[in-house]
Each structure stands twice: as C-alpha cells, then as structure tokens.
Amino acid sequence: MALFGALFLALLAGAQAELPGCKIRITSKALELVKQEGLRFLEQELETITIPDLRGKEGYFYYNISEKVYEFLSTFITSGMRFLLNQQICPVLYHAGMVLLNSLLDTVPVRSNVDELVGIDYSLLKDPAASASNLDMDFRGAFFPLAEGNWSLPNRAVEPQLREEERMVYVAFSEFFFDSAMESYFRAGALKLSLVGDKVPHDLDMLLRATYFGSIVLLSPAVIDSPLKLELRVLAPPRCTIKPSGTTVSVTASVTIALVPSDQPEVQLSSMIMDTRLSAKVALRGKALRVQLDLRRFRIYSNQSALESLALIPLQTPLKTMLQIGVMPMLNERMWRGVQIPLPEGINFVREVVTNHAGFLTIGADLHFAKGLREVIEKNRPASTSDTSASSAPPPATTAA
C-alpha cells in the first residue's frame, strides 16, 4: 500500500510539472568558444597583476627576489616558491573567474518587457542537464500582459525536442511560446484596428458606399456624407500551428462598417466575421527572434444570415487587398522588432537555420562575440569595486593554479 501511494505521488508530481515553451542546447563547440574567450580574459587579468618583491625564509631557503628577475628565474622555482606565487596569483584567477561568470549571467534577461504592453518570462524550470557533449536548459518561455503580471497561460502544447549537435547552439520553441504571445496581446487589447475617414483607402470607401447604398439613402442628409469607419477587432486569441511544412496563424475577427457623423452617434451599416490564415516565417537576427506574416487565406461572412453573406461576396477582394496593403505592413513592422533570446550580452547568433517539426520548431546557429568579455564586464561592473578583489578572493591556494 505504501509503494502504491509513493507511485501515485510520483505520477502526480510528474503530471503537474510545467512543460517548457523554449529550450536551449549549448554544444561542445560553443563551450570551446566560450573557453577560448574566457582564457583570453584571464590572460588580460594576469597582465594587470603587480607582484611585490618577495623576501623571506622557507625552511633552509632564504630568498630576496625582485619582480624584474621573475621570468629569468622561472625555471628554477622550487616548491616553496610555487607556494608563494600561488598565494599571489590563484586568488586573482579565482576572482577573475567569478567576475566573468557573474557578469555574464547578470546580462541574461529572465523576466523583461517586450514593449509597453507585454513582457516575457525566461525562468529556468529545472537545473541544466549536462552531458559529455551538450548543456540543455528548459525555460518557461511564456509571454504575459504587463497589466496582469501574475497571469499565465497553461502550457498544453507539445514539448519541444533537441537532438541536433552540429551547430554551437540550438533553440527550440513550441506552439505555446507563440500562443502565449498572441493571447497576451489579445488580453492587453492590442489586437484591434479602427480606420476612419481619410484612413480608409479611397477605392474601398467608394465600394463600401456603393454596397450599402440602399441603407445609406434611407438616412438623413446630415448622415449620408459622414466619414466612413472600418473597424477590425480580433474576437479570440489567435492560434499558432507548427507543422514540418510550415507555420501558420489562424485569426478570427469582426469587421464593422459604420458612418460617423459629427456630434452624433455612429450609424452601423454592417457587421461581418473575417476568418484569416497567415503564414509565419521565423528568423533569428543577432539575439532577436523575428516573425514575418503573410496573408494566405481570407474569408468573410455574415453572422446574421446566409443571404447577407452572399451580399458580402463583392467585398471579399477589396477587403483582402486592404489587409495586404494597409494592415500587414504595420503588423510586420511591429513583429520585426523581435523578441530577445536569453543569451548573455555581447554574444550573438550567426548562420542560423530554421527547421519545422510537428508542434515546435528549432533554430540552429553559431555564436559570435560582438563584444569582448572585458567590455561586457566593465559595462556591468558596480560603481564601487575598489575592495571587491579582496572580499571575493578565497584563502590563499595550497596547490598550483
């Protein structure tokens, strides 16, 4: 009975474990690059070390050596001398290594703002898994509306998988990653667009007035020549579908057409439903994940009657053209700003390749140090660092550094 209870609790804990929306794999090739850059940083640190003259006694050995002859006597250093040099150098190396690691980690964004409406959470869900060739990390990878900081969307998507090892870094995103972004913007009230008067394309304005001429002529003269209003409002959070053949986004929105006379309530001419399917092209530039959308399928119909849906057929093409020319460029301009991937400052992705799978996509890339580690560390160093070396260093080492 106790065994059954333990098994039940284990299964329950597993069922409640949060799935990652984003995974990152760092391969041995990337670790070797970081190692080389780290050694370069340590060499720079050693160049700044000034070792005072050494005087003293070690057993029967008396010494009085000035700094100028260290290099000349390096091949003759005894175990006692090695011990003394370790007292000088190893604490500096230890401190430099800690500064290097902490400075890099401090530049990794964990929970940050994407824009004025939405933020993103890259919290680690568990300890990184290290193997002989890779370091794998699972991140929450969830967007959230800034006005609802504690809000979170349940992750029911397929867990992304990483199996490749040819590139330095691989990043995987599930459908949940993109769905949480679109739902966050939906909850923030951003997925709507209103065009009034001159903002409505001239040809579309004329077509709409001709289509609803029968309704317009019945209105009072003061209303007939009023500016036209075209309002698009997304009715539900858009949903992302990732397949090996590509990535698509499905959107359902309402389209309202009305006249807006000055100092009077607006007069609604029609209300319809718009179903669209967008293809999404995902790219990685520097540290920014970018998405470009293209309108693939478009359909409008009336939510009142089938007869009215037939009457809307002439609007199908001009409304689609209006979306392609007037709406998609504005949307892509905002999307192209991108979302930052959790990578330390000064390191960028290059030579990326995107691969689609069932329910997730992966991006493989190599790393490029856009900034030296010293530049990153100096930029993020606290204002007062005069005593950090002494406070951070460990006790003098007793073995060779």
Side-chain angles (χ1 to χ4, degrees):
M1 188 66 178
L3 180 60
F4 174 79
L7 179 60
F8 175 77
L9 291 176
L11 291 174
L12 182 62
Q16 293 176 341
E18 183 177 354
L19 294 176
C22 170
K23 286 188 174 184
I24 293 183
R25 163 169 288 184
I26 301 176
T27 68
S28 57
K29 295 179 181 179
L31 296 176
E32 182 62 30
L33 177 66
V34 175
K35 173 185 174 183
Q36 293 173 4
E37 192 68 23
L39 288 176
R40 186 177 298 111
F41 168 78
L42 293 179
E43 289 174 359
Q44 295 171 347
E45 285 291 297
L46 285 175
E47 291 176 357
T48 66
I49 297 175
T50 301
I51 302 177
D53 296 348
L54 300 179
R55 299 182 179 85
K57 174 184 179 184
E58 186 70 23
Y60 295 101
F61 180 70
Y62 292 87
Y63 55 89
N64 185 350
I65 304 176
S66 66
E67 188 176 355
K68 297 181 181 179
V69 295
Y70 284 157
E71 184 176 354
F72 175 77
L73 295 177
S74 60
T75 56
F76 303 102
I77 294 178
T78 64
S79 59
M81 287 291 293
R82 187 179 300 113
F83 171 80
L84 292 172
L85 289 177
N86 283 335
Q87 285 185 311
Q88 296 288 336
I89 297 176
C90 284
V92 176
L93 290 179
Y94 173 87
H95 174 65
M98 289 299 100
V99 169
L100 167 65
L101 180 60
N102 290 330
S103 297
L104 282 179
L105 292 178
D106 286 343
T107 66
V108 176
V110 176
R111 190 177 174 95
S112 59
N113 293 1
V114 177
D115 52 30
E116 70 280 3
L117 297 175
V118 168
I120 188 168
D121 186 348
Y122 278 123
S123 301
L124 270 173
L125 297 180
K126 59 182 179 181
D127 292 337
S131 66
S133 56
N134 301 310
L135 179 66
D136 291 343
M137 294 171 285
D138 291 0
F139 296 92
R140 176 167 289 118
F143 292 78
F144 59 91
L146 294 179
E148 306 177 55
N150 295 325
W151 174 84
S152 62
L153 179 69
N155 185 352
R156 299 187 179 91
V158 174
E159 181 176 356
Q161 303 296 322
L162 288 173
R163 298 184 177 90
E164 300 92 337
E165 298 182 355
E166 290 78 14
R167 299 296 183 101
M168 291 184 181
V169 175
Y170 287 90
V171 189
F173 303 96
S174 74
E175 293 173 346
F176 166 80
F177 179 87
F178 301 100
D179 284 349
S180 69
M182 293 183 290
E183 180 142 348
S184 294
Y185 280 106
F186 176 79
R187 295 176 69 94
L191 302 186
K192 57 185 178 182
L193 175 66
S194 183
L195 303 176
V196 181
D198 294 340
K199 299 297 182 180
V200 179
H202 179 68
D203 292 343
L204 181 59
D205 185 288
M206 294 180 59
L207 179 61
L208 291 175
R209 290 182 186 275
T211 301
Y212 298 103
F213 178 77
S215 300
I216 293 176
V217 296
L218 298 177
L219 301 174
S220 65
V223 176
I224 291 178
D225 295 328
S226 299
L228 198 69
K229 176 182 178 182
L230 181 65
E231 184 177 75
L232 288 76
R233 183 183 298 270
V234 175
L235 298 177
R239 286 292 174 255
C240 172
T241 302
I242 302 176
K243 296 181 179 179
S245 57
T247 301
T248 59
V249 178
S250 300
V251 184
T252 299
S254 66
V255 181
T256 302
I257 301 169
L259 291 174
V260 284
S262 178
D263 301 325
Q264 295 184 46
E266 67 180 45
V267 179
Q268 181 173 306
L269 300 176
S270 178
S271 177
M272 65 194 83
I273 303 299
M274 177 179 70
D275 281 340
T276 60
R277 178 168 292 180
L278 311 172
S279 65
K281 182 179 180 182
V282 180
L284 199 58
R285 296 292 185 271
K287 280 198 290 284
L289 181 71
R290 295 172 172 175
V291 179
Q292 184 173 9
L293 300 174
D294 188 23
L295 182 61
R296 289 303 182 190
R297 193 186 73 179
F298 175 84
R299 183 173 70 97
I300 57 173
Y301 60 92
S302 171
N303 54 358
Q304 301 297 326
S305 67
L307 184 61
E308 188 174 352
S309 293
L310 291 175
L312 294 174
I313 292 177
L315 294 176
Q316 184 88 13
T317 299
L319 281 177
K320 182 177 181 179
T321 302
M322 186 271 293
L323 286 176
Q324 290 175 323
I325 297 176
V327 177
M328 297 305 298
M330 291 189 299
L331 185 60
N332 280 322
E333 181 182 2
R334 186 163 188 170
M335 298 285 288
W336 201 243
R337 299 173 190 171
V339 178
Q340 188 170 343
I341 304 301
L343 199 67
E345 183 180 341
I347 304 177
N348 290 331
F349 293 108
V350 294
R351 294 183 290 275
E352 73 285 348
V353 57
V354 180
T355 305
N356 277 42
H357 305 271
F360 65 95
L361 60 84
T362 61
I363 303 177
D366 290 331
L367 294 178
H368 169 69
F369 275 89
K371 296 180 180 180
L373 293 182
R374 174 172 291 280
E375 183 181 353
V376 175
I377 290 169
E378 290 298 332
K379 179 180 178 181
N380 295 277
R381 193 187 299 273
S384 177
T385 58
S386 57
D387 296 328
T388 53
S389 177
S391 60
S392 301
T398 57
T399 58

